[in-house]
Each structure stands twice: as C-alpha cells, then as structure tokens.
Amino acid sequence: EVQLVESGGGLVQPGGSLRLSCAASGFSFNTYWMHWVRQDPGKGLVWVSRIKGDGSGILYADSVKGRFTISRDNAKNILYLQMNSLRAEDTAVYYCIRDPDYGGKSYFENWGQGTLVTVSS
Amino acid sequence: DIQMTQSPSSLSASIGDRVTVTCRASQSISNYLNWYQQKPGQAPKFLIYAASTLQTGVPSRFTGSGSGTDFTLSISSLQPEDSAIYYCQQSYKIPYTFGQGTKLEI
C-alpha cells in the first residue's frame, strides 16, 4: 500500500524557515515524480514544486521560486521541501504527492494527509 | 499560466440524480485533464486522468469527457458519499493549475 506521511509543519514567524518532510513507503520511490501542492485554508489547490525520480527535473511555482527548495533522498525514501523567507501568504496545508506520469501524462495519484504551515507573528 | 474555470461553483442534487460539472481551460490542453474529489478534513482523492480514464477502484458512475478546452465530469445515480468538492486540474503545462472547485451537496 502506498503511504505518504508529511511532517515538519507548524507556526513560524514571517521571514522564518521550515523544512517539510514526506516519508514514502509501499512503492519504488526513486522511479516516481513527486510534487508538493498546497491548499490555502478554505480555498483551492495550488501546485508548488515537482522533482523527478532521479532528482532532476526540478521546477517551482513563481510564487515560491528562490525561496523554496525541493529535494529527495532516495536512500531514505524521503521527499523534502525547504521553505525560507516565509510570508503570511504561504500559510496553507502542504501535500506530498506521487505522480506516475503514466504515458507521459502527469497526475496526482496518491496524496499524503497534509501538514499545516502557519506563518504569523 | 493556464486558467481553469469550473461551473457551477456549487450544486445541490438528490440521491439517484445525474449531475455534470464543467471545466474550461483558457487554452487548449488536449486531454491533459484530471479530476479529484475532496471531502471535508481529507486530502483530495484522484478520480480520473487523461480526461476520461477512471482510476482503479473509482465507481463506474463517474465519467469524464472532453478535449481541447472543454471538459465534463458526470456522476450518475448519485450516492450520499458523493457529497464533496470536485476539482479539475491541467497537466499540460507547468505550472499545473486547478479549477476553483465545485461543491456538490446531496
């Protein structure tokens, strides 16, 4: 069974940093694209970043470019999101997602339970 | 960025009804269109990819169609557990973008 378990969320002051982790199990982690998607409280879904199975193919949403860094440790089956220079508008639930990219088509097949990041003074 | 617009924003229906949710892309995305269902307090659940291919385990009363800019998600024979918010999402071009959601009440 595929499992994605996020951790690392919490309350942080504007300008601060957090590192989110996503522990993956039940599949060959190093063969899958992985993404982070966030959901503003009571609002919609926003794609944040993606990374290929071998650690290449990294891309970011413009709103986080230069501040967030996605990475993965395939030996430990963990996906990371390092978030620096946090702003109030980064407040959201952050989801870790597995993407099979089947037939060249990307889709968000499996989601973690999410971890809440609150940026506030 | 490709903008995804869903309609209606909300709808109410009865058990056994058939409903349709529409999703429109601001430019052609071929069939790079996925659908998700989200219930309160839960992460979204993947339903359909490539506009019409049902994820394994999703009931056959869910159907997706469309290509280019216009897509639909239909749910026939509504069940109480279908109450949720439904989102479309394009995977044609980064940044991947979602519709604003359609809240279905039963």
Side-chain angles (χ1 to χ4, degrees), chain A residues 2-4 22-36 51-55 71-80 96-99:
Chain A
V2 172
Q3 284 202 325
L4 300 168
C22 171
S25 60
F27 64 101
S28 297
F29 182 66
N30 64 352
T31 65
Y32 284 83
W33 288 86
M34 298 295 293
H35 301 254
W36 289 99
I51 186 170
K52 196 176 179 181
D54 62 2
S71 62
R72 62 194 298 160
D73 185 333
N74 286 343
K76 296 181 179 179
N77 290 354
I78 300 177
L79 175 73
Y80 299 102
C96 162
I97 293 167
R98 183 183 85 148
D99 174 4

PDB file of all heavy atoms in Angstrom, chain A residues 2-4 22-36 51-55 71-80 96-99:
ATOM      1  N   VAL A   2       0.557   2.158  -0.896  1.00  0.00           N
ATOM      2  CA  VAL A   2       1.303   3.416  -0.962  1.00  0.00           C
ATOM      3  C   VAL A   2       0.969   4.273   0.250  1.00  0.00           C
ATOM      4  O   VAL A   2      -0.204   4.465   0.579  1.00  0.00           O
ATOM      5  CB  VAL A   2       0.942   4.186  -2.248  1.00  0.00           C
ATOM      6  CG1 VAL A   2       1.559   5.577  -2.239  1.00  0.00           C
ATOM      7  CG2 VAL A   2       1.394   3.401  -3.477  1.00  0.00           C
ATOM      8  N   GLN A   3       2.001   4.758   0.909  1.00  0.00           N
ATOM      9  CA  GLN A   3       1.800   5.675   2.032  1.00  0.00           C
ATOM     10  C   GLN A   3       2.730   6.871   1.884  1.00  0.00           C
ATOM     11  O   GLN A   3       3.912   6.707   1.566  1.00  0.00           O
ATOM     12  CB  GLN A   3       2.063   4.981   3.365  1.00  0.00           C
ATOM     13  CG  GLN A   3       0.942   4.056   3.801  1.00  0.00           C
ATOM     14  CD  GLN A   3       0.929   3.794   5.302  1.00  0.00           C
ATOM     15  OE1 GLN A   3       1.979   3.727   5.923  1.00  0.00           O
ATOM     16  NE2 GLN A   3      -0.259   3.645   5.863  1.00  0.00           N
ATOM     17  N   LEU A   4       2.169   8.038   2.128  1.00  0.00           N
ATOM     18  CA  LEU A   4       2.922   9.282   2.127  1.00  0.00           C
ATOM     19  C   LEU A   4       2.591  10.010   3.424  1.00  0.00           C
ATOM     20  O   LEU A   4       1.426  10.319   3.670  1.00  0.00           O
ATOM     21  CB  LEU A   4       2.546  10.147   0.919  1.00  0.00           C
ATOM     22  CG  LEU A   4       2.782   9.528  -0.458  1.00  0.00           C
ATOM     23  CD1 LEU A   4       2.114  10.359  -1.542  1.00  0.00           C
ATOM     24  CD2 LEU A   4       4.275   9.386  -0.733  1.00  0.00           C
ATOM     25  N   CYS A  22       8.463  14.261   3.779  1.00  0.00           N
ATOM     26  CA  CYS A  22       7.419  13.321   3.366  1.00  0.00           C
ATOM     27  C   CYS A  22       8.048  11.940   3.279  1.00  0.00           C
ATOM     28  O   CYS A  22       8.878  11.687   2.396  1.00  0.00           O
ATOM     29  CB  CYS A  22       6.829  13.726   2.032  1.00  0.00           C
ATOM     30  SG  CYS A  22       5.704  12.503   1.307  1.00  0.00           S
ATOM     31  N   ALA A  23       7.664  11.086   4.213  1.00  0.00           N
ATOM     32  CA  ALA A  23       8.183   9.717   4.223  1.00  0.00           C
ATOM     33  C   ALA A  23       7.303   8.846   3.346  1.00  0.00           C
ATOM     34  O   ALA A  23       6.090   8.760   3.566  1.00  0.00           O
ATOM     35  CB  ALA A  23       8.209   9.184   5.647  1.00  0.00           C
ATOM     36  N   ALA A  24       7.917   8.219   2.355  1.00  0.00           N
ATOM     37  CA  ALA A  24       7.182   7.418   1.384  1.00  0.00           C
ATOM     38  C   ALA A  24       7.438   5.933   1.608  1.00  0.00           C
ATOM     39  O   ALA A  24       8.552   5.527   1.972  1.00  0.00           O
ATOM     40  CB  ALA A  24       7.594   7.799  -0.036  1.00  0.00           C
ATOM     41  N   SER A  25       6.409   5.126   1.393  1.00  0.00           N
ATOM     42  CA  SER A  25       6.563   3.686   1.510  1.00  0.00           C
ATOM     43  C   SER A  25       5.555   2.990   0.620  1.00  0.00           C
ATOM     44  O   SER A  25       4.566   3.599   0.181  1.00  0.00           O
ATOM     45  CB  SER A  25       6.382   3.233   2.964  1.00  0.00           C
ATOM     46  OG  SER A  25       5.106   3.574   3.436  1.00  0.00           O
ATOM     47  N   GLY A  26       5.817   1.718   0.326  1.00  0.00           N
ATOM     48  CA  GLY A  26       4.885   0.911  -0.445  1.00  0.00           C
ATOM     49  C   GLY A  26       5.075   0.974  -1.948  1.00  0.00           C
ATOM     50  O   GLY A  26       4.264   0.416  -2.692  1.00  0.00           O
ATOM     51  N   PHE A  27       6.117   1.644  -2.401  1.00  0.00           N
ATOM     52  CA  PHE A  27       6.393   1.706  -3.842  1.00  0.00           C
ATOM     53  C   PHE A  27       7.866   2.034  -4.060  1.00  0.00           C
ATOM     54  O   PHE A  27       8.584   2.404  -3.126  1.00  0.00           O
ATOM     55  CB  PHE A  27       5.498   2.743  -4.522  1.00  0.00           C
ATOM     56  CG  PHE A  27       5.727   4.176  -4.080  1.00  0.00           C
ATOM     57  CD1 PHE A  27       6.462   5.055  -4.859  1.00  0.00           C
ATOM     58  CD2 PHE A  27       5.179   4.644  -2.892  1.00  0.00           C
ATOM     59  CE1 PHE A  27       6.659   6.370  -4.464  1.00  0.00           C
ATOM     60  CE2 PHE A  27       5.372   5.962  -2.486  1.00  0.00           C
ATOM     61  CZ  PHE A  27       6.113   6.823  -3.267  1.00  0.00           C
ATOM     62  N   SER A  28       8.290   1.897  -5.313  1.00  0.00           N
ATOM     63  CA  SER A  28       9.689   2.192  -5.650  1.00  0.00           C
ATOM     64  C   SER A  28       9.856   3.705  -5.774  1.00  0.00           C
ATOM     65  O   SER A  28       9.670   4.293  -6.846  1.00  0.00           O
ATOM     66  CB  SER A  28      10.064   1.500  -6.969  1.00  0.00           C
ATOM     67  OG  SER A  28       9.975   0.107  -6.845  1.00  0.00           O
ATOM     68  N   PHE A  29      10.211   4.312  -4.661  1.00  0.00           N
ATOM     69  CA  PHE A  29      10.233   5.768  -4.557  1.00  0.00           C
ATOM     70  C   PHE A  29      11.077   6.408  -5.657  1.00  0.00           C
ATOM     71  O   PHE A  29      10.686   7.425  -6.235  1.00  0.00           O
ATOM     72  CB  PHE A  29      10.785   6.143  -3.171  1.00  0.00           C
ATOM     73  CG  PHE A  29      10.843   7.616  -2.876  1.00  0.00           C
ATOM     74  CD1 PHE A  29       9.685   8.359  -2.754  1.00  0.00           C
ATOM     75  CD2 PHE A  29      12.066   8.258  -2.702  1.00  0.00           C
ATOM     76  CE1 PHE A  29       9.734   9.723  -2.465  1.00  0.00           C
ATOM     77  CE2 PHE A  29      12.132   9.610  -2.417  1.00  0.00           C
ATOM     78  CZ  PHE A  29      10.956  10.348  -2.290  1.00  0.00           C
ATOM     79  N   ASN A  30      12.222   5.846  -5.969  1.00  0.00           N
ATOM     80  CA  ASN A  30      13.144   6.510  -6.897  1.00  0.00           C
ATOM     81  C   ASN A  30      12.703   6.443  -8.346  1.00  0.00           C
ATOM     82  O   ASN A  30      13.386   6.957  -9.230  1.00  0.00           O
ATOM     83  CB  ASN A  30      14.559   5.932  -6.755  1.00  0.00           C
ATOM     84  CG  ASN A  30      14.636   4.469  -7.144  1.00  0.00           C
ATOM     85  OD1 ASN A  30      13.617   3.823  -7.390  1.00  0.00           O
ATOM     86  ND2 ASN A  30      15.832   3.924  -7.184  1.00  0.00           N
ATOM     87  N   THR A  31      11.546   5.847  -8.618  1.00  0.00           N
ATOM     88  CA  THR A  31      11.062   5.787 -10.001  1.00  0.00           C
ATOM     89  C   THR A  31       9.891   6.731 -10.250  1.00  0.00           C
ATOM     90  O   THR A  31       9.342   6.748 -11.361  1.00  0.00           O
ATOM     91  CB  THR A  31      10.654   4.356 -10.371  1.00  0.00           C
ATOM     92  OG1 THR A  31       9.531   3.954  -9.569  1.00  0.00           O
ATOM     93  CG2 THR A  31      11.792   3.378 -10.174  1.00  0.00           C
ATOM     94  N   TYR A  32       9.510   7.495  -9.267  1.00  0.00           N
ATOM     95  CA  TYR A  32       8.335   8.357  -9.400  1.00  0.00           C
ATOM     96  C   TYR A  32       8.663   9.842  -9.280  1.00  0.00           C
ATOM     97  O   TYR A  32       9.468  10.258  -8.430  1.00  0.00           O
ATOM     98  CB  TYR A  32       7.291   8.014  -8.334  1.00  0.00           C
ATOM     99  CG  TYR A  32       6.520   6.759  -8.634  1.00  0.00           C
ATOM    100  CD1 TYR A  32       7.036   5.509  -8.305  1.00  0.00           C
ATOM    101  CD2 TYR A  32       5.278   6.824  -9.259  1.00  0.00           C
ATOM    102  CE1 TYR A  32       6.338   4.355  -8.594  1.00  0.00           C
ATOM    103  CE2 TYR A  32       4.572   5.671  -9.545  1.00  0.00           C
ATOM    104  CZ  TYR A  32       5.105   4.443  -9.214  1.00  0.00           C
ATOM    105  OH  TYR A  32       4.414   3.303  -9.495  1.00  0.00           O
ATOM    106  N   TRP A  33       8.001  10.623 -10.146  1.00  0.00           N
ATOM    107  CA  TRP A  33       7.946  12.055  -9.920  1.00  0.00           C
ATOM    108  C   TRP A  33       7.213  12.297  -8.598  1.00  0.00           C
ATOM    109  O   TRP A  33       6.269  11.603  -8.250  1.00  0.00           O
ATOM    110  CB  TRP A  33       7.151  12.736 -11.038  1.00  0.00           C
ATOM    111  CG  TRP A  33       7.832  12.802 -12.361  1.00  0.00           C
ATOM    112  CD1 TRP A  33       7.830  11.840 -13.332  1.00  0.00           C
ATOM    113  CD2 TRP A  33       8.586  13.895 -12.893  1.00  0.00           C
ATOM    114  NE1 TRP A  33       8.534  12.269 -14.427  1.00  0.00           N
ATOM    115  CE2 TRP A  33       9.010  13.538 -14.191  1.00  0.00           C
ATOM    116  CE3 TRP A  33       8.927  15.161 -12.397  1.00  0.00           C
ATOM    117  CZ2 TRP A  33       9.771  14.384 -14.992  1.00  0.00           C
ATOM    118  CZ3 TRP A  33       9.685  16.003 -13.208  1.00  0.00           C
ATOM    119  CH2 TRP A  33      10.099  15.619 -14.481  1.00  0.00           C
ATOM    120  N   MET A  34       7.636  13.338  -7.895  1.00  0.00           N
ATOM    121  CA  MET A  34       6.962  13.749  -6.669  1.00  0.00           C
ATOM    122  C   MET A  34       6.698  15.250  -6.733  1.00  0.00           C
ATOM    123  O   MET A  34       7.466  16.012  -7.363  1.00  0.00           O
ATOM    124  CB  MET A  34       7.815  13.415  -5.444  1.00  0.00           C
ATOM    125  CG  MET A  34       8.100  11.939  -5.231  1.00  0.00           C
ATOM    126  SD  MET A  34       6.643  10.935  -4.865  1.00  0.00           S
ATOM    127  CE  MET A  34       6.171  11.579  -3.259  1.00  0.00           C
ATOM    128  N   HIS A  35       5.626  15.650  -6.089  1.00  0.00           N
ATOM    129  CA  HIS A  35       5.226  17.047  -6.102  1.00  0.00           C
ATOM    130  C   HIS A  35       4.861  17.503  -4.692  1.00  0.00           C
ATOM    131  O   HIS A  35       4.508  16.687  -3.832  1.00  0.00           O
ATOM    132  CB  HIS A  35       3.975  17.261  -6.966  1.00  0.00           C
ATOM    133  CG  HIS A  35       4.105  16.866  -8.385  1.00  0.00           C
ATOM    134  ND1 HIS A  35       4.220  17.782  -9.414  1.00  0.00           N
ATOM    135  CD2 HIS A  35       4.112  15.640  -8.979  1.00  0.00           C
ATOM    136  CE1 HIS A  35       4.290  17.140 -10.568  1.00  0.00           C
ATOM    137  NE2 HIS A  35       4.234  15.835 -10.328  1.00  0.00           N
ATOM    138  N   TRP A  36       4.854  18.816  -4.521  1.00  0.00           N
ATOM    139  CA  TRP A  36       4.220  19.469  -3.378  1.00  0.00           C
ATOM    140  C   TRP A  36       3.101  20.354  -3.929  1.00  0.00           C
ATOM    141  O   TRP A  36       3.297  21.099  -4.898  1.00  0.00           O
ATOM    142  CB  TRP A  36       5.212  20.321  -2.595  1.00  0.00           C
ATOM    143  CG  TRP A  36       6.217  19.535  -1.814  1.00  0.00           C
ATOM    144  CD1 TRP A  36       7.504  19.256  -2.187  1.00  0.00           C
ATOM    145  CD2 TRP A  36       6.033  18.930  -0.527  1.00  0.00           C
ATOM    146  NE1 TRP A  36       8.121  18.507  -1.213  1.00  0.00           N
ATOM    147  CE2 TRP A  36       7.257  18.300  -0.191  1.00  0.00           C
ATOM    148  CE3 TRP A  36       4.981  18.867   0.384  1.00  0.00           C
ATOM    149  CZ2 TRP A  36       7.434  17.606   1.020  1.00  0.00           C
ATOM    150  CZ3 TRP A  36       5.162  18.183   1.573  1.00  0.00           C
ATOM    151  CH2 TRP A  36       6.377  17.565   1.884  1.00  0.00           C
ATOM    152  N   ILE A  51       9.706  17.204  -8.665  1.00  0.00           N
ATOM    153  CA  ILE A  51      11.053  16.656  -8.808  1.00  0.00           C
ATOM    154  C   ILE A  51      10.948  15.266  -9.408  1.00  0.00           C
ATOM    155  O   ILE A  51      10.058  14.484  -9.051  1.00  0.00           O
ATOM    156  CB  ILE A  51      11.791  16.641  -7.446  1.00  0.00           C
ATOM    157  CG1 ILE A  51      13.242  16.201  -7.611  1.00  0.00           C
ATOM    158  CG2 ILE A  51      11.051  15.771  -6.428  1.00  0.00           C
ATOM    159  CD1 ILE A  51      14.087  16.413  -6.343  1.00  0.00           C
ATOM    160  N   LYS A  52      11.824  14.955 -10.319  1.00  0.00           N
ATOM    161  CA  LYS A  52      11.837  13.660 -10.978  1.00  0.00           C
ATOM    162  C   LYS A  52      12.433  12.611 -10.034  1.00  0.00           C
ATOM    163  O   LYS A  52      13.082  12.953  -9.026  1.00  0.00           O
ATOM    164  CB  LYS A  52      12.647  13.741 -12.273  1.00  0.00           C
ATOM    165  CG  LYS A  52      12.427  12.596 -13.240  1.00  0.00           C
ATOM    166  CD  LYS A  52      13.199  12.839 -14.539  1.00  0.00           C
ATOM    167  CE  LYS A  52      13.010  11.683 -15.503  1.00  0.00           C
ATOM    168  NZ  LYS A  52      13.768  11.883 -16.765  1.00  0.00           N
ATOM    169  N   GLY A  53      12.236  11.328 -10.380  1.00  0.00           N
ATOM    170  CA  GLY A  53      12.709  10.249  -9.537  1.00  0.00           C
ATOM    171  C   GLY A  53      14.198  10.276  -9.240  1.00  0.00           C
ATOM    172  O   GLY A  53      14.630   9.920  -8.138  1.00  0.00           O
ATOM    173  N   ASP A  54      14.989  10.724 -10.214  1.00  0.00           N
ATOM    174  CA  ASP A  54      16.445  10.757 -10.032  1.00  0.00           C
ATOM    175  C   ASP A  54      16.942  12.087  -9.469  1.00  0.00           C
ATOM    176  O   ASP A  54      18.150  12.329  -9.401  1.00  0.00           O
ATOM    177  CB  ASP A  54      17.144  10.449 -11.352  1.00  0.00           C
ATOM    178  CG  ASP A  54      16.846  11.479 -12.435  1.00  0.00           C
ATOM    179  OD1 ASP A  54      16.133  12.458 -12.150  1.00  0.00           O
ATOM    180  OD2 ASP A  54      17.322  11.290 -13.570  1.00  0.00           O
ATOM    181  N   GLY A  55      16.009  12.957  -9.092  1.00  0.00           N
ATOM    182  CA  GLY A  55      16.378  14.240  -8.503  1.00  0.00           C
ATOM    183  C   GLY A  55      16.510  15.367  -9.501  1.00  0.00           C
ATOM    184  O   GLY A  55      16.780  16.503  -9.120  1.00  0.00           O
ATOM    185  N   SER A  71      13.750  18.654  -2.693  1.00  0.00           N
ATOM    186  CA  SER A  71      14.836  17.679  -2.819  1.00  0.00           C
ATOM    187  C   SER A  71      14.315  16.322  -2.375  1.00  0.00           C
ATOM    188  O   SER A  71      13.205  16.223  -1.841  1.00  0.00           O
ATOM    189  CB  SER A  71      16.055  18.098  -1.988  1.00  0.00           C
ATOM    190  OG  SER A  71      15.726  18.142  -0.621  1.00  0.00           O
ATOM    191  N   ARG A  72      15.112  15.308  -2.602  1.00  0.00           N
ATOM    192  CA  ARG A  72      14.707  13.967  -2.201  1.00  0.00           C
ATOM    193  C   ARG A  72      15.928  13.151  -1.818  1.00  0.00           C
ATOM    194  O   ARG A  72      17.035  13.382  -2.341  1.00  0.00           O
ATOM    195  CB  ARG A  72      13.925  13.279  -3.318  1.00  0.00           C
ATOM    196  CG  ARG A  72      14.688  13.057  -4.596  1.00  0.00           C
ATOM    197  CD  ARG A  72      13.732  12.690  -5.742  1.00  0.00           C
ATOM    198  NE  ARG A  72      13.011  11.450  -5.499  1.00  0.00           N
ATOM    199  CZ  ARG A  72      11.872  11.107  -6.110  1.00  0.00           C
ATOM    200  NH1 ARG A  72      11.331  11.921  -7.012  1.00  0.00           N
ATOM    201  NH2 ARG A  72      11.292   9.954  -5.829  1.00  0.00           N
ATOM    202  N   ASP A  73      15.718  12.214  -0.903  1.00  0.00           N
ATOM    203  CA  ASP A  73      16.746  11.265  -0.504  1.00  0.00           C
ATOM    204  C   ASP A  73      16.217   9.883  -0.865  1.00  0.00           C
ATOM    205  O   ASP A  73      15.389   9.321  -0.129  1.00  0.00           O
ATOM    206  CB  ASP A  73      17.031  11.377   0.986  1.00  0.00           C
ATOM    207  CG  ASP A  73      18.175  10.497   1.445  1.00  0.00           C
ATOM    208  OD1 ASP A  73      18.438   9.459   0.801  1.00  0.00           O
ATOM    209  OD2 ASP A  73      18.808  10.817   2.464  1.00  0.00           O
ATOM    210  N   ASN A  74      16.652   9.364  -1.986  1.00  0.00           N
ATOM    211  CA  ASN A  74      16.124   8.084  -2.455  1.00  0.00           C
ATOM    212  C   ASN A  74      16.608   6.901  -1.619  1.00  0.00           C
ATOM    213  O   ASN A  74      15.993   5.839  -1.637  1.00  0.00           O
ATOM    214  CB  ASN A  74      16.478   7.876  -3.921  1.00  0.00           C
ATOM    215  CG  ASN A  74      15.640   8.746  -4.852  1.00  0.00           C
ATOM    216  OD1 ASN A  74      14.598   9.270  -4.448  1.00  0.00           O
ATOM    217  ND2 ASN A  74      16.093   8.925  -6.084  1.00  0.00           N
ATOM    218  N   ALA A  75      17.686   7.080  -0.880  1.00  0.00           N
ATOM    219  CA  ALA A  75      18.148   6.011   0.005  1.00  0.00           C
ATOM    220  C   ALA A  75      17.225   5.867   1.222  1.00  0.00           C
ATOM    221  O   ALA A  75      17.060   4.779   1.761  1.00  0.00           O
ATOM    222  CB  ALA A  75      19.575   6.289   0.462  1.00  0.00           C
ATOM    223  N   LYS A  76      16.635   7.005   1.630  1.00  0.00           N
ATOM    224  CA  LYS A  76      15.747   7.005   2.791  1.00  0.00           C
ATOM    225  C   LYS A  76      14.267   7.083   2.411  1.00  0.00           C
ATOM    226  O   LYS A  76      13.400   7.044   3.284  1.00  0.00           O
ATOM    227  CB  LYS A  76      16.088   8.185   3.703  1.00  0.00           C
ATOM    228  CG  LYS A  76      17.482   8.126   4.311  1.00  0.00           C
ATOM    229  CD  LYS A  76      17.720   9.327   5.218  1.00  0.00           C
ATOM    230  CE  LYS A  76      19.103   9.261   5.861  1.00  0.00           C
ATOM    231  NZ  LYS A  76      19.363  10.442   6.734  1.00  0.00           N
ATOM    232  N   ASN A  77      13.977   7.202   1.128  1.00  0.00           N
ATOM    233  CA  ASN A  77      12.591   7.338   0.651  1.00  0.00           C
ATOM    234  C   ASN A  77      11.896   8.554   1.267  1.00  0.00           C
ATOM    235  O   ASN A  77      10.772   8.458   1.780  1.00  0.00           O
ATOM    236  CB  ASN A  77      11.783   6.067   0.940  1.00  0.00           C
ATOM    237  CG  ASN A  77      12.212   4.903   0.074  1.00  0.00           C
ATOM    238  OD1 ASN A  77      13.039   5.051  -0.838  1.00  0.00           O
ATOM    239  ND2 ASN A  77      11.690   3.735   0.356  1.00  0.00           N
ATOM    240  N   ILE A  78      12.556   9.674   1.238  1.00  0.00           N
ATOM    241  CA  ILE A  78      12.003  10.893   1.816  1.00  0.00           C
ATOM    242  C   ILE A  78      12.072  12.034   0.801  1.00  0.00           C
ATOM    243  O   ILE A  78      13.093  12.241   0.138  1.00  0.00           O
ATOM    244  CB  ILE A  78      12.747  11.298   3.105  1.00  0.00           C
ATOM    245  CG1 ILE A  78      12.640  10.192   4.153  1.00  0.00           C
ATOM    246  CG2 ILE A  78      12.152  12.606   3.660  1.00  0.00           C
ATOM    247  CD1 ILE A  78      13.403  10.492   5.436  1.00  0.00           C
ATOM    248  N   LEU A  79      10.975  12.764   0.713  1.00  0.00           N
ATOM    249  CA  LEU A  79      10.876  13.979  -0.080  1.00  0.00           C
ATOM    250  C   LEU A  79      10.924  15.165   0.882  1.00  0.00           C
ATOM    251  O   LEU A  79      10.341  15.104   1.968  1.00  0.00           O
ATOM    252  CB  LEU A  79       9.557  13.992  -0.862  1.00  0.00           C
ATOM    253  CG  LEU A  79       9.228  15.248  -1.665  1.00  0.00           C
ATOM    254  CD1 LEU A  79      10.132  15.318  -2.905  1.00  0.00           C
ATOM    255  CD2 LEU A  79       7.758  15.235  -2.079  1.00  0.00           C
ATOM    256  N   TYR A  80      11.597  16.240   0.461  1.00  0.00           N
ATOM    257  CA  TYR A  80      11.706  17.418   1.306  1.00  0.00           C
ATOM    258  C   TYR A  80      11.218  18.671   0.588  1.00  0.00           C
ATOM    259  O   TYR A  80      11.206  18.755  -0.644  1.00  0.00           O
ATOM    260  CB  TYR A  80      13.177  17.663   1.698  1.00  0.00           C
ATOM    261  CG  TYR A  80      13.818  16.559   2.484  1.00  0.00           C
ATOM    262  CD1 TYR A  80      14.682  15.645   1.871  1.00  0.00           C
ATOM    263  CD2 TYR A  80      13.563  16.413   3.845  1.00  0.00           C
ATOM    264  CE1 TYR A  80      15.293  14.643   2.605  1.00  0.00           C
ATOM    265  CE2 TYR A  80      14.165  15.395   4.578  1.00  0.00           C
ATOM    266  CZ  TYR A  80      15.026  14.515   3.949  1.00  0.00           C
ATOM    267  OH  TYR A  80      15.610  13.502   4.674  1.00  0.00           O
ATOM    268  N   CYS A  96       2.148  16.242   0.026  1.00  0.00           N
ATOM    269  CA  CYS A  96       3.139  15.497  -0.727  1.00  0.00           C
ATOM    270  C   CYS A  96       2.381  14.563  -1.657  1.00  0.00           C
ATOM    271  O   CYS A  96       1.407  13.918  -1.232  1.00  0.00           O
ATOM    272  CB  CYS A  96       4.000  14.729   0.278  1.00  0.00           C
ATOM    273  SG  CYS A  96       4.971  13.363  -0.350  1.00  0.00           S
ATOM    274  N   ILE A  97       2.810  14.465  -2.908  1.00  0.00           N
ATOM    275  CA  ILE A  97       2.031  13.751  -3.910  1.00  0.00           C
ATOM    276  C   ILE A  97       2.926  12.875  -4.783  1.00  0.00           C
ATOM    277  O   ILE A  97       4.009  13.305  -5.209  1.00  0.00           O
ATOM    278  CB  ILE A  97       1.277  14.757  -4.801  1.00  0.00           C
ATOM    279  CG1 ILE A  97       0.220  15.487  -3.975  1.00  0.00           C
ATOM    280  CG2 ILE A  97       0.654  14.076  -6.006  1.00  0.00           C
ATOM    281  CD1 ILE A  97      -0.353  16.682  -4.665  1.00  0.00           C
ATOM    282  N   ARG A  98       2.451  11.683  -5.066  1.00  0.00           N
ATOM    283  CA  ARG A  98       3.120  10.791  -6.007  1.00  0.00           C
ATOM    284  C   ARG A  98       2.470  10.900  -7.384  1.00  0.00           C
ATOM    285  O   ARG A  98       1.239  10.901  -7.500  1.00  0.00           O
ATOM    286  CB  ARG A  98       3.010   9.336  -5.522  1.00  0.00           C
ATOM    287  CG  ARG A  98       3.748   8.339  -6.395  1.00  0.00           C
ATOM    288  CD  ARG A  98       3.552   6.916  -5.941  1.00  0.00           C
ATOM    289  NE  ARG A  98       2.338   6.337  -6.492  1.00  0.00           N
ATOM    290  CZ  ARG A  98       2.205   5.049  -6.791  1.00  0.00           C
ATOM    291  NH1 ARG A  98       3.217   4.220  -6.606  1.00  0.00           N
ATOM    292  NH2 ARG A  98       1.064   4.580  -7.259  1.00  0.00           N
ATOM    293  N   ASP A  99       3.314  10.970  -8.405  1.00  0.00           N
ATOM    294  CA  ASP A  99       2.857  11.154  -9.785  1.00  0.00           C
ATOM    295  C   ASP A  99       3.445  10.053 -10.665  1.00  0.00           C
ATOM    296  O   ASP A  99       4.624  10.032 -10.930  1.00  0.00           O
ATOM    297  CB  ASP A  99       3.327  12.522 -10.267  1.00  0.00           C
ATOM    298  CG  ASP A  99       3.059  12.789 -11.731  1.00  0.00           C
ATOM    299  OD1 ASP A  99       2.425  11.939 -12.405  1.00  0.00           O
ATOM    300  OD2 ASP A  99       3.489  13.856 -12.220  1.00  0.00           O
TER     301      ASP A  99
END
